[in-house]
């Protein structure tokens, strides 16, 4: 018997694919796990996982042929997750249509809401401790995870994650751009719709906030806060004054990667008012951001750093986020004076701490 024959939908029971039986089985397994291990993490993780897999795919393509089975399964999911599935369905389809959600009462919503309230009432009356210390905290945490997940799926436009492990555990939920382009496509076929032009993230949606912890993410936080800008400028100016021999001999200064918030550029313009400053950055968007904040007379070069590009400069400054061989810069400084932004624990040459809070220091090296 071929695989295609094995997983062909059974007429009258599963409407689209025999693979949907796996999601149904996992939903009932989730219910059994909650009974066996009634703990807050099980409630939270189950709500988050089930809402973005079983419930999500059931919204778009109800699993069963007979409508009564779909209604019963929807009722079961409502009780399992504590969320009326008709409410979840209407909100989600409005999201796909790009229109505001409008609340409408109907029989299915009334029945599912009554079932959820009945469960909560029973738990509160007969299992008060579990409800207040495990179920309710887990439920709220699960909703928070769902909110985080949904937010970062679209925080910077619709974004996909093509990681193998996540899409195995979440049944191709990472193919989000593809899902929006083909919302009626069955979940098993989403990888075939993989869009080479899709905006991708290395993180699943619920972990995409980690992008804010990158150096570029922290830079963007500084761009949004005048108070943070004043703080980093003050700390960097103090460090440069300590480590750099300020003299009129510094005529030409190159700043590698000076895009986004150009703290080095702003500080050196103040400390070396007569020097010609050149910013070399391979990211055109970063250059445009820095250009808006830069003083007059600064030259911007859109290019990735090459040692030959800084020949003839008296001072070259490298950022903490430098994409290249930092050790090679220390071994063979490409200019008479080189200042390298580095982590607090990497001391080289003449060195001064920028800020313990920023975990950062400046290292001055010479050939």
């Amino acid at each position: 018997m071929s695989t295609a024959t094995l997983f062909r939908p059974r007429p009258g029971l599963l409407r689209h694919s025999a693979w949907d039986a796996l999601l149904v089985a996992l939903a009932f397994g989730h219910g059994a796990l909650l009974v066996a291990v009634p703990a807050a993490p099980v409630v939270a993780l189950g709500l988050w996982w089930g809402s973005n897999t079983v419930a999500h795919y059931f919204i778009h393509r109800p699993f069963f042929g007979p409508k009564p089975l779909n209604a019963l399964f929807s009722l079961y999911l409502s009780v399992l997750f504590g969320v009326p599935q008709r409410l979840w369905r209407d909100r989600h389809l409005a999201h796909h249509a790009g229109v505001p959600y409008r609340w409408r009462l109907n029989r299915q919503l009334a029945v599912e809401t009554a079932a959820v309230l009945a469960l909560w009432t029973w738990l509160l009356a007969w299992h008060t401790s579990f409800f207040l210390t495990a179920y309710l905290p887990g439920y709220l945490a699960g909703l928070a995870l769902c909110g985080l997940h949904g937010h970062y799926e679209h925080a910077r436009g619709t974004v996909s994650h093509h990681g193998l492990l996540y899409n195995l555990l979440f049944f191709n939920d990472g193919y989000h751009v593809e899902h929006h382009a083909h919302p009626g496509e069955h979940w098993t076929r989403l990888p075939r719709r993989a869009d080479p032009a899709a905006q991708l993230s290395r993180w699943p949606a619920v972990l995409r906030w980690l992008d804010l912890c990158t150096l570029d993410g922290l830079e963007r936080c500084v761009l949004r806060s005048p108070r943070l800008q004043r703080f980093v400028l003050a700390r960097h100016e103090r460090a440069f004054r300590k480590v750099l021999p300020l003299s009129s001999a510094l005529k030409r200064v190159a700043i590698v990667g000076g895009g986004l918030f150009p703290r080095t550029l702003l500080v050196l313009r103040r400390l070396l008012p007569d020097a010609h400053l050149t910013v070399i950055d391979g990211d055109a968007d970063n250059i445009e951001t820095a250009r808006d904040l830069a003083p007059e007379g600064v030259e911007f070069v859109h290019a990735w750093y090459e040692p030959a590009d800084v020949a003839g400069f008296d001072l070259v400054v490298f950022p903490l986020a430098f994409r290249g061989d930092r050790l090679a810069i220390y071994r063979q400084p490409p200019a008479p004076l080189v200042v390298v932004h580095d982590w607090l624990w990497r001391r080289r040459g003449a060195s001064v701490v920028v800020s313990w809070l920023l975990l950062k220091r400046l290292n001055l090296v010479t050939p």
Side-chain angles (χ1 to χ4, degrees):
M1 182 181 294
S2 69
T3 303
T5 302
L6 179 62
F7 293 106
R8 185 177 299 145
R10 296 179 183 178
L13 183 59
L14 292 172
R15 184 177 179 183
H16 303 290
S17 169
W19 280 109
D20 291 334
L22 176 61
L23 298 186
V24 174
L26 288 171
F28 285 108
H30 175 201
L33 181 63
L34 274 173
V35 173
V37 187
V42 178
V43 177
L45 295 176
L47 172 57
W48 164 58
W49 176 86
S51 294
N52 288 285
T53 55
V54 180
H56 180 211
Y57 293 132
F58 184 70
I59 283 171
H60 287 281
R61 295 176 72 102
F63 299 153
F64 303 103
K67 290 184 178 180
L69 283 181
N70 287 319
L72 286 173
F73 190 66
S74 181
L75 181 62
Y76 169 73
L77 293 181
S78 299
V79 174
L80 178 65
F81 300 136
V83 178
Q85 292 301 289
R86 181 55 187 258
L87 174 67
W88 169 211
R89 176 183 182 275
D90 291 347
R91 287 179 61 88
H92 187 71
L93 294 183
H95 159 72
H96 270 275
V99 299
Y101 165 70
R102 296 180 61 185
W103 184 85
R104 293 179 181 177
L105 182 63
N106 54 55
R107 180 182 298 176
Q108 181 184 359
L109 178 58
V111 170
E112 292 176 350
T113 302
V116 171
L117 293 177
L119 171 68
W120 290 356
T121 301
W122 177 72
L123 289 175
L124 184 59
W126 297 98
H127 302 278
T128 308
S129 178
F130 164 73
F131 182 78
L132 296 178
T133 64
Y135 181 87
L136 191 58
Y139 179 77
L140 294 176
L143 291 180
L145 286 171
C146 287
L148 191 69
H149 191 114
H151 171 75
Y152 279 108
E153 283 179 326
H154 300 278
R156 294 182 182 176
T158 307
V159 181
S160 283
H161 168 71
H162 289 172
L164 179 63
L165 179 61
Y166 177 81
N167 284 297
L168 178 65
L169 296 177
F170 279 73
F171 302 99
N172 297 328
D173 176 67
Y175 290 88
H176 198 67
V177 172
E178 296 79 1
H179 170 65
H180 268 262
H182 310 280
E185 186 69 277
H186 195 266
W187 60 270
T188 57
R189 291 189 286 270
L190 285 174
R192 302 178 190 177
R193 296 284 192 173
D195 184 356
Q199 185 178 184
L200 299 177
S201 171
R202 60 176 175 168
W203 301 108
V206 76
L207 296 177
R208 213 158 284 163
W209 53 271
L210 288 171
D211 284 330
L212 299 176
C213 298
T214 64
L215 292 174
D216 281 356
L218 294 173
E219 286 283 291
R220 291 187 175 90
C221 291
V222 173
L223 282 171
R224 291 193 289 268
S225 171
R227 180 175 295 181
L228 285 177
Q229 291 173 22
R230 291 192 295 270
F231 171 75
V232 298
L233 283 174
R235 294 299 184 274
H236 282 79
E237 181 172 344
R238 183 181 64 179
F240 270 105
R241 285 184 181 277
K242 289 181 178 180
V243 77
L244 195 63
L246 304 178
S247 72
S248 58
L250 298 176
K251 297 293 187 182
R252 299 186 66 208
V253 177
I255 302 168
V256 177
L260 286 177
F261 181 62
R263 61 176 64 87
T264 298
L265 174 62
L266 296 173
V267 168
L268 291 184
R269 171 51 75 216
R270 187 179 304 169
L271 300 181
L272 303 171
D274 298 325
H276 178 77
L277 304 181
T278 300
V279 172
I280 303 171
D281 198 310
D283 191 315
D285 292 335
N286 289 357
I287 286 179
E288 289 306 311
T289 301
R291 196 189 299 273
D292 291 339
L293 300 171
E296 293 183 1
V298 175
E299 180 183 2
F300 286 88
V301 177
H302 179 209
W304 296 108
Y305 165 76
E306 293 289 344
D309 296 337
V310 297
F313 282 90
D314 304 306
L315 169 67
V316 180
V317 183
F318 290 89
L320 186 60
F322 174 65
R323 301 174 184 176
D325 190 346
R326 191 180 301 269
L327 292 179
I329 295 171
Y330 286 130
R331 287 193 300 266
Q332 293 182 318
L337 291 176
V338 173
V339 171
V340 182
H341 296 253
D342 215 328
W343 293 110
L344 191 65
W345 49 87
R346 291 179 182 166
R347 182 169 183 166
R348 300 287 192 280
S351 184
V352 62
V353 173
V354 175
S355 168
W356 291 92
L357 182 62
L358 297 175
L359 300 177
K360 190 176 181 184
R361 66 168 60 248
L362 294 182
N363 292 326
L364 174 66
V365 292
T366 58

